[in-house]
Amino acid sequence: MVQTPSRHRGSEFSATNSVQPVKRDTILLGNTLSLPNTKLFGTDGIRGKVGELLTAPLALQVGFWAGQVLRQNAPNQGPVILGQDSRNSSDMLAMALSAGLTAAGLEVWNLGLCPTPCVAYLASISQSVGGVMISASHNPPEDNGIKFFGPNGSKLSQHLQEQIEAGIRGAKVPIASLALGHHYHRPELIKDYATSLSNSLQQMNLRGMRVVLDLAWGAAAGLAPAVFEQMGADAICLHNSPDGSRINVNCGSTHLESLQAAVLEHNADLGFAFDGDADRVLGVDNKGRSIDGDYILYLWGQQLRASEQLPDNLIISTVMANLGFERAWEELGGKLTRTNVGDQHVHAEMQRTGAMLGGEQSGHILCPHFGISGDGLLTALHIASLVRESGESLSQLVSDSFQTYPQLLVNVRVDDREKRLKWHECEPMQKAIDRAKTAMGEQGRILVRASGTEPLIRVMVEAASADLANFWTENLVLAVQQHIAI
């Protein structure tokens, strides 16, 4: 169990509760935020460009109202766990959030720089009211985000996110009696998360393996190499210091080229690329080929299935999962259930069905046997362990798994937030999608959606042939561009 700061041991937040209540109007004085007409919360918290959507005044209000909602809905009345990635704006947002949270009467344990799953893990073992992570994940340096976890380490429910947003927008949301909280720096707690990663592998080690790690100048820069080396691996690191000006820039899980080159250059067994907050990971095999979440799910699913740890041989994925993966898994007698894009949708379906493995093509992987949230470090360690245990190379394991269908994903930038989120109301776009679906029939799939984390409309076409995928992708991208121009 995580220990509270010494001044609170032996009492239940006595210092916090001894403070005289203050008036709500004092805390919220000067609240004149300019808010968008569309929802603040997307598929992974509140995310946007710093100085536009994300500002210190907004973060203050988010912290205050999140504090109210967390206090009133948590079974415990412990601290809130706060972490951040390496972005230049993360310190500013952390201080503003902490001010709002303490104004709501909460005790804040600030971990500083750490991966997102570290916040989720510590929230789950510390009698907390929840956790908050400041990160824009795989987004560029000028963006940032705020995402919340409940006291069990799971993403905060949509219902509670709506309550937080209602308070920010001025609705009459119930307020607990206000007593000012306290803020503590608790970076020493990160070691408890690191220990949980190595413990998840039990007696397995990675001795003799050469692994290249691309840390994306982000949150796992110091932690990942230490954990891999502790497990016995020879870790070769790229982009391995926290740098808020370069986080995710031409590196990490969205840009695998430097990792692929390094794996070949160093004759490594495999490589892993993390995003800025290390809640997702993509791999590279010993031949330099990229290994996405579909392959990770298939290989890990095989291992869990063989050890009878995969109920009903069920894997939960999203609408982005490749048809080649789905059909290969079904040939093994497995079942694949698809959800909307977003790890919270995957998690919800896993809870509903009792599934023990799920994730996204982008590298968010969930395995409740070993972790409570999407965790890039945990996933990478288990895939490396799987390869070592098999006695084969990762490239051989992948070659023996499945062949993907040609799948094209094109991102069209749409800076107009309202136009982006209401694309489905555009009749010409709907007609273009219907034409493509009718023409491809059973030979392909189409997915058009607004990104919940970036100013993009994503167009995905998957087909039995590359020519078919190319043709209809071009048609649909043109329809999106025409929608923007209207």
Side-chain angles (χ1 to χ4, degrees):
M1 181 66 64
V2 173
Q3 295 294 312
T4 62
S6 57
R7 65 176 290 181
H8 292 292
R9 290 175 190 161
S11 65
E12 191 167 333
F13 305 102
S14 56
T16 297
N17 292 331
S18 66
V19 177
Q20 292 298 312
V22 296
K23 293 181 179 180
R24 170 188 174 184
D25 291 345
T26 303
I27 298 298
L28 300 181
L29 188 64
N31 179 13
T32 57
L33 294 176
S34 177
L35 299 173
N37 294 325
T38 51
K39 287 183 178 181
L40 290 175
F41 282 88
T43 56
D44 200 15
I46 300 171
R47 191 175 299 188
K49 193 177 293 295
V50 176
E52 295 180 6
L53 176 65
L54 280 175
T55 62
L58 174 64
L60 175 69
Q61 295 297 318
V62 170
F64 178 82
W65 290 108
Q68 293 297 323
V69 170
L70 290 172
R71 283 184 66 189
Q72 293 174 47
N73 289 276
N76 311 306
Q77 288 302 306
V80 60
I81 310 297
L82 174 64
Q84 66 184 70
D85 69 15
S86 61
R87 293 165 203 274
N88 295 339
S89 58
S90 290
D91 284 344
M92 175 266 289
L93 293 174
M95 287 187 280
L97 266 170
S98 183
L101 290 163
T102 54
L106 283 175
E107 182 162 297
V108 176
W109 291 2
N110 188 349
L111 306 176
L113 183 74
C114 68
T116 288
C118 177
V119 172
Y121 172 76
L122 291 172
S124 74
I125 66 167
S126 61
Q127 299 295 306
S128 75
V129 298
V132 190
M133 181 67 185
I134 300 167
S135 176
S137 193
H138 60 281
N139 285 34
E142 60 269 22
D143 291 348
N144 216 324
I146 304 169
K147 46 190 170 185
F148 292 93
F149 297 89
N152 62 354
S154 298
K155 294 282 180 71
L156 203 63
S157 71
Q158 183 175 342
H159 172 64
L160 294 184
Q161 290 181 9
E162 289 171 352
Q163 287 188 30
I164 295 170
E165 182 160 346
I168 296 168
R169 291 185 180 277
K172 291 184 178 180
V173 176
I175 291 184
S177 67
L178 292 174
L180 300 179
H182 295 276
H183 177 281
Y184 297 94
H185 291 284
R186 302 298 306 274
E188 78 281 0
L189 299 179
I190 297 173
K191 69 178 185 298
D192 294 330
Y193 164 67
T195 299
S196 75
L197 293 173
S198 54
N199 287 347
S200 75
L201 289 174
Q202 299 175 346
Q203 302 302 314
M204 198 63 186
N205 65 73
L206 305 178
R207 283 193 291 272
M209 294 192 78
R210 179 173 293 176
V211 182
V212 182
L213 305 175
D214 184 345
L215 289 313
W217 309 114
L223 187 60
V227 171
F228 269 87
E229 287 168 0
Q230 181 184 353
M231 295 301 299
D234 175 13
I236 299 164
C237 299
L238 310 175
H239 316 116
N240 60 324
S241 60
D243 189 334
S245 298
R246 293 188 286 178
I247 186 170
N248 297 321
V249 176
N250 297 321
C251 62
S253 62
T254 53
H255 299 277
L256 296 179
E257 297 82 8
S258 58
L259 177 62
Q260 291 170 310
V263 167
L264 294 175
E265 177 187 350
H266 294 282
N267 194 27
D269 294 287
L270 70 171
F272 294 107
F274 304 92
D275 62 346
D277 66 337
D279 65 349
R280 70 169 70 179
V281 66
L282 293 180
V284 168
D285 71 14
N286 51 298
K287 292 186 177 179
R289 299 181 300 183
S290 63
I291 309 300
D292 66 17
D294 288 348
Y295 282 109
I296 291 171
L297 288 172
Y298 184 92
L299 295 175
W300 205 352
Q302 278 188 312
Q303 184 189 55
L304 294 173
R305 179 173 176 263
S307 59
E308 298 183 345
Q309 292 182 286
L310 196 66
D312 299 322
N313 295 328
L314 175 63
I315 293 176
I316 308 298
S317 191
T318 75
V319 290
M320 295 296 293
N322 194 277
L323 274 173
F325 162 41
E326 181 177 18
R327 292 180 180 174
W329 185 244
E330 288 173 347
E331 287 176 7
L332 291 179
K335 293 183 287 187
L336 180 73
T337 297
R338 296 176 184 266
T339 72
N340 290 332
V341 172
D343 64 315
Q344 77 271 34
H345 298 300
V346 174
H347 180 260
E349 185 66 13
M350 291 176 70
Q351 286 193 312
R352 189 187 72 80
T353 60
M356 297 302 289
L357 183 65
E360 300 185 89
Q361 193 181 73
S362 61
H364 273 115
I365 308 297
L366 296 153
C367 186
H369 286 304
F370 306 109
I372 59 172
S373 67
D375 190 331
L377 280 174
L378 179 76
T379 299
L381 287 166
H382 279 266
I383 294 303
S385 174
L386 180 157
V387 172
R388 178 181 170 85
E389 189 176 16
S390 74
E392 298 186 35
S393 66
L394 180 56
S395 63
Q396 187 59 53
L397 292 175
V398 169
S399 295
D400 292 341
S401 60
F402 62 89
Q403 291 294 315
T404 58
Y405 280 42
Q407 187 183 83
L408 285 179
L409 176 63
V410 177
N411 296 318
V412 183
R413 188 173 183 90
V414 184
D415 290 313
D416 186 322
R417 182 182 176 91
E418 189 161 350
K419 199 170 266 192
R420 181 171 74 251
L421 296 180
K422 294 183 177 181
W423 69 268
H424 54 279
E425 297 177 5
C426 176
E427 187 176 346
M429 282 184 65
Q430 293 300 329
K431 288 182 177 179
I433 292 169
D434 289 341
R435 283 197 302 271
K437 286 181 176 179
T438 300
M440 288 198 297
E442 295 297 317
Q443 294 186 337
R445 292 193 308 128
I446 292 169
L447 178 65
V448 179
R449 67 182 184 89
S451 171
T453 58
E454 296 178 88
L456 304 170
I457 290 180
R458 305 191 193 277
V459 177
M460 188 276 284
V461 178
E462 186 175 82
S465 73
D467 288 343
L468 200 58
N470 275 314
F471 177 80
W472 287 110
T473 299
E474 290 175 2
N475 273 265
L476 293 174
V477 167
L478 179 61
V480 174
Q481 292 169 338
Q482 290 172 342
H483 165 64
I484 298 169
I486 295 175

